[in-house]
Amino acid sequence: MRDIYISGGAMTPFGRHPGVLAPELAQSAILKAIDDAGVELKDIEAVYCANVLGGMILGQLIVRDLGLRGIPVYNVENACASGATGVHLARHALLAGEYSTVLVFGIEQLTALGGGTIPMQRNDVKTDLYATAGMVLPAVYAMRGTRFLHERDASREDLATVAVKNRHHGSLNEYAQQRSETTVEEVLASRMIADPLTLLQCCPSQVDGAAAVVMTTRRPTQRKAVKVLSSVVVSGMREAADDDILDAEITARAARQAYEQAGVSPRDINVVELHDAFTIAELLYYEALQLAAPGEAVPLLRSGATRLGGRVPVNPSGGLLAKGHPLGATGIAQMVEVMWHLQDRAGSRQVADARIGLTQCTGGGIAGVDHAASSVHILGV
């Protein structure tokens, strides 16, 4: 199997960008990624555009003004896993020899929605029961959080500690939307969204941003070459009535496949960017990714192992809780962050001696399955 590299990457600051159109945001990230990769626009043979809510043929609209006309443009929507899915599809094409250098970018403007929770599905009984019942993602994760507190030796303070950790990391990241630190007391005192999740335990819903990577079969020479060691995307399995809502089966399955494909073990991972849309999610994914044994997520958190300076820092970017979650851009931004750490370019939040990093992104909530999609990527130098 031929080697696939991420030769360059970039992102815009995540946050509110009033007066800036989605194409402008995306083009900013694209041009910086092209420059970072040391290639030119004419070297790009195909484009993958990840987006959830931006409408039809957004990719063609964005690259039109860059002069990338006539080459294949693939628009990818897979809920929050859209960006990671775009990388997965691009890797397949590179492995098949269809192209040698491609561009993958993600873009989202959630401020255009005007506020509120992100819609799960159309409110139509014929499409999805959850949507018809008015289910929203904060409620889904709140149920998991409630069950977690009931079954585990865990407290509300433990949930809040995830937010404190990631807000500290985000304070070091110039690309993060939330750059102020917080305390456990402040997290618990913030407005209740869905018990036990307070406002500071939920990722911001008003955020815009874009991220881009250049992927190639040519080994980069300008700095440490970051290789895509594994790329996995799976969909959810049909749930039975007695399924454990604390068992993130879809992510655990994707992780097992990714470790096997990369030929590494969970102990080999030096840095992780995972899908912490809510504080409880990070704790569940510790176990699904085998960073902690079943039932050991809270001891892992309390030990400090997942903080910067710990054994396996998780979300040094600040994660979704601090950096923000512009859906289509998130999975790609995770990879840019890990790339920076593997190349010793992460500044004050640099993870020391990072050689192997993992990104994990889930997407979509529909009735009867544990998420609609989950992706796990392992990168290495």
Side-chain angles (χ1 to χ4, degrees), residues 140 143-145 147-148 239 242-248 284 370:
V140 172
M143 288 190 289
R144 290 174 175 151
R147 190 69 187 179
F148 190 86
E239 292 181 319
D242 59 349
D243 278 351
D244 183 0
I245 63 173
L246 302 185
D247 177 21
L284 296 180
D370 172 19

Side-chain angles (χ1 to χ4, degrees), residues 278-290:
F278 304 90
T279 52
I280 180 60
E282 178 162 325
L283 293 171
L284 296 180
Y285 294 143
Y286 285 173
E287 298 179 15
L289 297 173
Q290 301 177 49

Side-chain angles (χ1 to χ4, degrees), residues 367-379:
V369 300
D370 172 19
H371 287 291
S374 184
S375 66
V376 173
H377 287 77
I378 298 177
L379 311 180

Side-chain angles (χ1 to χ4, degrees), residues 92-110:
H92 273 294
L94 292 168
L95 287 173
E98 188 73 18
Y99 314 115
S100 59
T101 302
V102 301
L103 170 70
V104 188
F105 69 90
I107 170 67
E108 209 74 54
Q109 275 195 317
L110 292 182

Side-chain angles (χ1 to χ4, degrees), residues 23 56 74 88-89 104-105 152 180 216 225 304 306 308 318 370 373:
M56 295 172 58
Y74 304 95
H88 181 73
L89 295 174
V104 188
F105 69 90
R152 306 289 178 84
S180 59
T216 182
T306 59
L308 280 170
D370 172 19

Side-chain angles (χ1 to χ4, degrees), residues 180-267:
S180 59
E181 299 200 49
T182 190
T183 66
V184 168
E185 292 74 21
E186 289 170 341
V187 172
L188 293 177
S190 62
R191 178 166 55 91
M192 184 62 69
I193 300 300
D195 193 15
L197 301 178
T198 60
L199 179 65
L200 295 183
Q201 297 185 61
C202 308
C203 67
S205 62
Q206 289 289 287
V207 58
D208 307 327
V213 292
V214 175
M215 299 176 63
T216 182
T217 55
R218 302 186 177 99
R219 183 180 180 85
T221 58
Q222 72 270 32
R223 58 178 71 92
K224 288 183 183 178
V226 174
K227 188 185 302 184
V228 182
L229 301 179
S230 62
S231 174
V232 173
V233 174
V234 298
S235 60
M237 304 281 278
R238 186 73 184 180
E239 292 181 319
D242 59 349
D243 278 351
D244 183 0
I245 63 173
L246 302 185
D247 177 21
E249 186 280 332
I250 185 173
T251 291
R253 179 159 39 96
R256 289 194 299 270
Q257 293 179 27
Y259 289 133
E260 181 179 0
Q261 190 180 108
V264 302
S265 78
R267 295 289 301 185

